[in-house]
């Protein structure tokens, strides 16, 4: 009996020791968001970070560093220390496409999917295809007809995942072959894409639904279609691209990544704390009001990393097309 008690005490002491020395942040977390304030990355992270701050006492210093579809911020981020105190709220499409999407980076890309440690997928949003409120295009079929037949048609994307969705669709429907004069306007970020459409500078825009929904509600633009296969219950009038393009289902996911070779303990800390934040009452419902949705199966490091690499493989054909058309 005494020996059994000794074993129990030994095990408890080992557990206590491991808990004592488990990794914890010792200073504010330097947080990179490689898109402007008001982007999907920004919208999903700030409310969750506030919950984690409340639960842990750890603070986040958020730095928006937009440019080139997330490339500017990401390129700087991969050179930061991997001590656990630096995170990036990344657009996963921008990471999985990086080493293909910019031809001048092909020989010596500033980063690849291997340049990060993966913690947690925070959520995702469909891409909305938008037009000016008074445009004659109202349905996915109308939109497909215009971009495959109208030589004056122009379309812009929000960069990162927005460009990935646009190019995926153009490739799927052979739009460039059918309409060689179709104009793709270089992206300027999600908010500017919407502004350009509302101002009539470009006819169509591709941007995260989470960003464009408020403009749609204000009557400045209209949502012609969304890129997810599933409809959005709060927008019953909006059809999916898959209603006319079979099996088209591409969304924009956002997650927390850290510099390469960050310790597993640090990576797990973020996964654990943000997973807890996502489970708090009303959080997912509030995110859904901004058209941001979650996936519980991708809220731990290994499944999240596997997901990123799967996305990388799936997007190769699309990215090769981007390279040819740049």
């Amino acid at each position: 009996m005494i020996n059994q008690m000794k074993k129990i005490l030994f095990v408890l002491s080992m557990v206590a020791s491991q808990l004592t020395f488990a990794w914890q942040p010792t200073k504010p977390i330097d947080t990179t968001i490689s898109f402007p304030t008001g982007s999907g990355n920004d919208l999903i992270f700030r409310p969750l970070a506030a919950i984690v701050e409340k639960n842990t006492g750890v603070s986040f210093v958020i730095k928006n560093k937009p440019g080139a579809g997330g490339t500017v911020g990401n390129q700087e981020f991969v050179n930061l220390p991997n001590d656990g105190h630096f995170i990036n709220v990344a657009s996963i499409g921008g990471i999985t496409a990086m080493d293909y999407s910019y031809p001048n980076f092909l020989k010596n890309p500033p980063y690849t999917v291997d340049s990060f440690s993966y913690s947690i997928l925070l959520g995702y949003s469909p891409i909305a295809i938008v037009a000016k409120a008074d445009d004659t295009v109202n349905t996915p079929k109308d939109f497909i007809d215009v971009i495959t037949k109208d030589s004056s048609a122009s379309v812009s994307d929000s960069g990162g995942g927005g460009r990935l969705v646009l190019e995926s669709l153009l490739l799927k429907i052979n739009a460039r072959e059918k309409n060689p004069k179709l104009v793709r306007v270089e992206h300027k970020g999600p908010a500017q894409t919407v502004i350009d459409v509302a101002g009539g500078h470009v006819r169509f825009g591709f941007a995260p639904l989470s960003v464009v929904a408020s403009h749609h509600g204000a009557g400045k633009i209209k949502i012609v279609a969304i890129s997810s296969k599933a409809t959005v219950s709060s927008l019953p009038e909006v059809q999916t691209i898959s209603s006319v393009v079979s099996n088209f289902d591409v969304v924009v996911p956002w997650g927390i990544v850290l510099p390469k070779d960050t310790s597993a303990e640090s990576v797990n800390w973020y996964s654990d704390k943000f997973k807890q934040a996502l489970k708090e009452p009303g959080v997912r419902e509030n995110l859904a009001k901004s058209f941001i949705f979650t996936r519980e199966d991708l809220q731990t490091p290994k499944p999240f990393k596997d997901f990123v690499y799967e996305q990388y493989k799936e997007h190769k054909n699309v990215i090769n097309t981007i390279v040819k058309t740049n």
Side-chain angles (χ1 to χ4, degrees), residues 251-280:
V251 297
V252 179
W254 301 291
I256 292 177
V257 301
L258 292 87
K260 184 177 181 179
D261 295 331
T262 300
S263 71
E265 291 81 4
S266 302
V267 171
N268 286 329
W269 188 89
Y270 292 100
S271 173
D272 179 61
K273 302 310 177 187
F274 278 86
K275 186 176 182 179
Q276 289 178 25
L278 284 164
K279 287 182 176 180
E280 291 213 0

Side-chain angles (χ1 to χ4, degrees), residues 3-321:
N3 287 336
Q4 187 175 1
M5 287 298 296
K6 286 182 177 179
K7 288 180 181 179
I8 292 173
L9 289 171
F10 175 77
V11 171
L12 289 174
S13 68
M14 290 297 292
V15 171
S17 175
Q18 290 173 6
L19 290 174
T20 301
F21 293 103
W23 185 86
Q24 295 283 339
T26 57
K27 59 183 179 180
I29 306 304
D30 187 297
T31 305
T32 297
I33 298 180
S34 300
F35 282 84
T37 302
S39 63
N41 316 52
D42 203 71
L43 290 172
I44 192 170
F45 182 75
R46 288 182 185 270
L48 294 175
I51 295 172
V52 174
E53 287 181 340
K54 178 191 71 176
N55 290 344
T56 66
V58 174
S59 61
F60 295 86
V61 179
I62 299 174
K63 300 174 181 178
N64 292 87
K65 298 181 178 180
T71 306
V72 173
N74 291 347
Q75 184 173 2
E76 180 180 322
F77 177 79
V78 295
N79 295 313
L80 294 175
N82 60 359
D83 63 2
H85 293 93
F86 297 86
I87 66 172
N88 184 348
V89 186
S91 173
I92 303 308
I95 288 179
T96 58
M98 179 55 239
D99 46 348
Y100 287 90
S101 56
Y102 294 89
N104 54 320
F105 290 155
L106 286 177
K107 292 182 180 179
N108 187 27
Y111 58 87
T112 70
V113 290
D114 297 322
S115 302
F116 303 90
S117 299
Y118 296 93
S119 179
I120 179 173
L121 182 79
L122 297 176
Y124 67 91
S125 181
I127 285 288
I129 301 170
V130 298
K132 198 173 179 181
D134 60 359
D135 197 289
T136 56
V137 167
N138 292 300
T139 68
K141 184 180 183 306
D142 294 341
F143 170 73
I144 298 297
D145 285 345
V146 169
I147 65 170
T148 55
K149 298 174 183 177
D150 186 345
S151 60
S152 66
S154 58
V155 59
S156 178
D157 64 84
S158 59
R163 174 123 197 232
L164 202 60
V165 174
L166 169 60
E167 296 290 353
S168 296
L169 181 59
L170 295 181
L171 184 63
K172 182 94 171 177
I173 63 176
N174 298 316
R176 285 196 171 90
E177 289 78 6
K178 295 176 180 177
N179 186 10
K181 293 187 177 181
L182 174 68
V183 176
R184 190 195 70 81
V185 179
E186 192 62 35
H187 62 74
K188 300 176 183 178
Q192 190 60 50
T193 296
V194 174
I195 291 169
D196 286 350
V197 171
H201 305 296
V202 62
R203 186 164 183 185
F204 304 109
F206 278 56
L209 180 59
S210 55
V211 176
V212 308
S214 60
H215 299 274
H216 171 73
K220 297 177 182 179
I221 59 168
K222 61 183 171 185
I223 301 174
V224 175
I226 57 173
S227 66
S228 63
K229 198 172 182 179
T231 57
V232 176
S233 59
S234 55
L235 292 173
E237 74 282 7
V238 176
Q239 299 178 42
T240 66
I241 281 291
S242 63
S243 64
V244 290
V245 180
S246 178
N247 294 320
F248 191 83
D249 185 23
V250 188
V251 297
V252 179
W254 301 291
I256 292 177
V257 301
L258 292 87
K260 184 177 181 179
D261 295 331
T262 300
S263 71
E265 291 81 4
S266 302
V267 171
N268 286 329
W269 188 89
Y270 292 100
S271 173
D272 179 61
K273 302 310 177 187
F274 278 86
K275 186 176 182 179
Q276 289 178 25
L278 284 164
K279 287 182 176 180
E280 291 213 0
V283 168
R284 284 181 292 182
E285 291 78 6
N286 286 333
L287 288 174
K289 290 177 182 177
S290 297
F291 305 100
I292 295 173
F293 308 98
T294 62
R295 283 187 57 175
E296 292 186 15
D297 59 320
L298 299 178
Q299 292 177 0
T300 50
K302 187 179 186 308
F304 178 36
K305 180 179 180 179
D306 291 344
F307 168 77
V308 172
Y309 278 78
E310 287 169 8
Q311 293 285 295
Y312 174 73
K313 292 176 183 177
E314 288 179 10
H315 295 152
K316 275 193 174 182
N317 288 337
V318 177
I319 303 310
N320 285 333
T321 300

